[in-house]
Amino acid sequence: MQTVHDVPALRAAIRGWHAQGQTVGLVPTMGNLHAGHFSLIKLARTRADRVVASVFVNPTQFGPSEDFERYPRTLGQDQAGLAEQGCDLLFAPEVATMYPYGAQHSVSLHVPQITDTLEGAHRPGHFDGVATVVCKLFNLVQPDLAVFGQKDFQQLKVIERMVRDLSLPVKVMAAPTQRAEDGLALSSRNQYLSDEERALAPQIHAVLAQMRELIGKGHAWRVVEQAALSKLERAGFEPDYAAIRRAADLSEPAEGERDGLVGLIAARLGKTRLIDNLLFD
Ligand code: AMP
């Protein structure tokens, strides 16, 4: 596997593949890779001739009080893991390469409506940063397809909407959430958890499963949301939301609407903010 840090080297590699008629799949990440990320690489490998992974801790998607500085950076380890997974190329740019005018002065993309709620409401500007960096990565790599995890469900929907609205020639693919045996969704942020917090963390998935069960039994979604919030608080979390939405566009369901719903939770455990979701179908 080749690792490149700058744009000319990246473009040269991609040009060679495209000239041979090979398709390219992209897996954008912030590094500190785990089995969740590797499942995206595996999916990309089954759908494209060549797989490019990017590792870039993107400053524009972090709020001022968030963990940009302390976000785990483990490039050597990531390189070894990606090579083992059969990734063809790793693109690991510096901030100045991605933002030639500086991250503060970058062109910024705003995907309206779907970003007003949930993560968008609790992390102002987050999805502008995500949309901007993903659009830039698409322009740099020119992939035929790109794989995103359902773990970040709203992010996946934001990217789908951006691609459709900007007519970007990229097929967006979703990969299922990889979990630890106790149900906790794998995440680079899990390593911030103390032993005690790690033992509590699977409650998020357990509460999502209970939400799904209650909706299945015909309970009203607003009541189920309230019950989930109380359960999380009683267990020691500080929840930002426990929401039930339409999976298609994250809008609020009508009363009695049962099909195509998703449950989403964001909750803080000590200093760590965890998110997870579950499709109710
Ligand atoms: P990140 O490095 O956190 O930006 O994540 C990069 C990609 O990996 C995103 O598309 C995430 O949704 C995906 N991802 C992160 N954790 C998981 C997981 N546990 N299962 C599946 N995909 C994941």
Side-chain angles (χ1 to χ4, degrees):
M1 184 188 72
Q2 199 187 342
T3 300
V4 298
H5 301 281
D6 59 69
V7 174
L10 174 71
R11 289 206 194 278
I14 307 279
R15 228 184 349 257
W17 293 333
H18 278 155
Q20 292 170 37
Q22 295 181 333
T23 56
V24 175
L26 171 67
V27 178
T29 82
M30 297 205 299
N32 194 240
L33 304 180
H34 50 65
H37 298 110
F38 293 142
S39 73
L40 274 52
I41 301 283
K42 276 189 208 123
L43 180 58
R45 282 194 62 194
T46 65
R47 301 301 168 94
D49 299 318
R50 296 289 182 172
V51 175
V52 177
S54 60
V55 168
F56 180 61
V57 184
N58 173 34
T60 64
Q61 70 187 71
F62 287 78
S65 60
E66 293 182 4
D67 55 348
F68 174 70
E69 296 297 341
R70 67 178 187 128
Y71 197 85
R73 289 159 171 89
T74 53
L75 191 64
Q77 214 175 293
D78 295 345
Q79 265 172 321
L82 287 167
E84 199 176 308
Q85 295 296 322
C87 178
D88 294 286
L89 183 85
L90 166 60
F91 178 49
E94 297 293 330
V95 172
T97 302
M98 290 303 283
Y99 296 108
Y101 298 101
Q104 310 258 5
H105 306 290
S106 153
V107 169
S108 179
L109 274 178
H110 179 66
V111 179
Q113 211 171 25
I114 195 164
T115 58
D116 291 345
T117 181
L118 305 171
E119 287 303 281
H122 287 273
R123 302 182 67 188
H126 169 67
F127 286 123
D128 294 359
V130 169
T132 302
V133 80
V134 170
C135 189
K136 281 161 144 311
L137 288 167
F138 284 2
N139 287 331
L140 288 164
V141 176
Q142 305 197 348
D144 299 275
L145 64 91
V147 185
F148 295 86
Q150 278 174 356
K151 157 78 167 52
D152 299 279
F153 192 78
Q154 191 173 11
Q155 168 172 284
L156 170 66
K157 294 289 143 185
V158 169
I159 302 294
E160 284 175 354
R161 199 171 155 130
M162 172 186 81
V163 162
R164 182 161 186 225
D165 214 357
L166 293 180
S167 314
L168 301 179
V170 182
K171 182 177 164 58
V172 174
M173 299 190 63
T177 303
Q178 303 296 308
R179 301 180 179 282
E181 267 178 27
D182 57 13
L184 176 65
L186 300 182
S187 165
S188 305
R189 290 188 169 105
N190 291 350
Q191 63 196 266
Y192 300 152
L193 300 169
S194 68
D195 289 349
E196 200 181 320
E197 289 165 350
R198 175 63 188 79
L200 279 175
Q203 282 301 313
I204 294 183
H205 182 243
V207 170
L208 283 165
Q210 288 163 7
M211 290 164 84
R212 176 165 68 180
E213 200 183 318
L214 291 171
I215 290 291
K217 284 183 179 159
H219 291 264
W221 64 269
R222 284 182 203 277
V223 177
V224 176
E225 284 186 354
Q226 277 311 317
L229 283 172
S230 308
K231 264 182 218 149
L232 289 167
E233 277 164 7
R234 278 201 307 275
F237 293 86
E238 281 176 72
D240 277 347
Y241 55 82
I244 295 168
R245 298 298 175 88
R246 292 182 175 132
D249 60 4
L250 299 178
S251 60
E252 291 187 352
E255 218 170 292
E257 190 173 331
R258 200 68 48 78
D259 294 334
L261 302 184
V262 61
L264 308 104
I265 287 178
R268 222 171 288 275
L269 200 47
K271 286 197 167 102
T272 311
R273 189 171 179 279
L274 300 173
I275 62 169
D276 199 356
N277 65 84
L278 193 64
L279 289 167
F280 286 178
D281 290 335

